[in-house]
Amino acid sequence: MNAEPTSPLEGATIVVLGGTSGLGLATAELAVARGAGRVVIGGRDRDRLAAALALLGPTAEGRQVDGSGEAAIKDFLTGIGPFDHLLVTPSKLVPTAVVDADADAVRPAMDLRFWAAFHASRHAAPLLRPDGSITLMSGIAGTRPMAREAVAGASCAAVEALMRSLVSELAPIRCNVLSPGYVDTPLLDGFFGAARDTKVAAIAGQLPGRRIGSPAEVADAALFLMGNHYMNGHVLTIDGGHTLV
């Protein structure tokens, strides 16, 4: 008899769009550690891509890709060939009050998260193996209203609605959404700017665990959604209890 794999992802090909930093890179790193046969990351910045590949080692490969463009996403995915699991992470935060917002300035925050998920899902579908999965990324702004984050919340809710339709359309491929709260990634640098440490400390003080999340904790949740073949059509929230306070 053949021995059972030590991990449900052992030998799998895992693709991470937006895998050169933050949650995407943490997921790629953990996938390598858990025995994935091939990890393919995509990101826009050439230098960050090179640094990520140096960290991940020889079982990983990567390509430059603009996550905001359909043609670029299609070329990226079709160049990989058949694969098992896809994680889509690109997002952008443009905090502003609705009454003060400039539509052209905030549109990229909506477009990047939603359209990256939309285009990646539709072009991955013919390439994914029947027992494969798509994991999209939203965030707790979609369910917990926050001042100056209306566009972020709307984009998260749109991704979650997209996933629910994909479950039926792409079956038997599984589709889920990972919804993190505040996590210690470079995304917070752009969100809070020079006030980052002060803001993070204040948020952490309000959470039950008195801290924000780590990229590795969110990566573990992403791999759970990939590896558990009975997880389908769910939004998995990982926020340290933020939605309850």
Side-chain angles (χ1 to χ4, degrees), residues 151-179:
V151 176
S155 68
C156 291
V159 167
E160 293 174 10
L162 170 66
M163 176 273 293
R164 294 185 181 101
S165 294
L166 292 177
V167 169
S168 297
E169 291 190 18
L170 302 186
I173 295 167
R174 295 178 296 109
C175 301
N176 295 288
V177 167
L178 188 59
S179 177

Side-chain angles (χ1 to χ4, degrees), residues 26-245:
T27 302
E29 188 174 7
L30 190 57
V32 169
R34 292 190 179 173
R38 183 185 181 205
V39 176
V40 185
I41 62 172
R44 180 183 299 181
D45 186 273
R46 184 186 299 274
D47 291 338
R48 287 198 302 187
L49 177 62
L53 291 174
L55 173 69
L56 295 173
T59 60
E61 58 192 82
R63 298 171 176 83
Q64 272 191 289
V65 56
D66 181 354
S68 64
E70 179 178 7
I73 291 173
K74 180 180 180 181
D75 289 345
F76 168 67
L77 294 172
T78 55
I80 296 168
F83 57 93
D84 298 288
H85 303 286
L86 171 67
L87 173 66
V88 184
T89 71
S91 63
K92 183 178 179 66
L93 296 177
V94 183
T96 184
V98 172
V99 295
D100 298 327
D102 176 274
D104 291 334
V106 300
R107 185 171 289 112
M110 182 72 186
D111 287 351
L112 180 58
R113 189 191 302 268
F114 177 76
W115 289 111
F118 182 92
H119 294 315
S121 297
R122 69 190 297 257
H123 292 298
L127 301 168
L128 280 161
R129 297 186 174 97
D131 59 350
S133 73
I134 295 173
T135 302
L136 307 178
M137 191 79 74
S138 66
I140 63 166
T143 54
R144 188 186 190 281
M146 301 180 191
R148 297 175 56 82
E149 292 189 31
V151 176
S155 68
C156 291
V159 167
E160 293 174 10
L162 170 66
M163 176 273 293
R164 294 185 181 101
S165 294
L166 292 177
V167 169
S168 297
E169 291 190 18
L170 302 186
I173 295 167
R174 295 178 296 109
C175 301
N176 295 288
V177 167
L178 188 59
S179 177
Y182 284 101
V183 184
D184 189 7
T185 70
L187 192 66
L188 293 186
D189 298 342
F191 187 49
F192 292 132
R196 182 191 192 280
D197 292 345
T198 301
K199 293 284 190 180
V200 168
I203 292 167
Q206 298 172 3
L207 299 179
R210 302 297 187 262
R211 67 176 182 88
I212 65 172
S214 72
E217 289 168 323
V218 178
D220 184 60
L223 294 189
F224 165 73
L225 289 176
M226 295 179 194
N228 188 307
H229 288 235
Y230 207 49
M231 287 296 293
N232 194 17
H234 289 281
V235 177
L236 179 60
T237 300
I238 177 167
D239 69 347
H242 194 168
T243 52
L244 301 178
V245 297

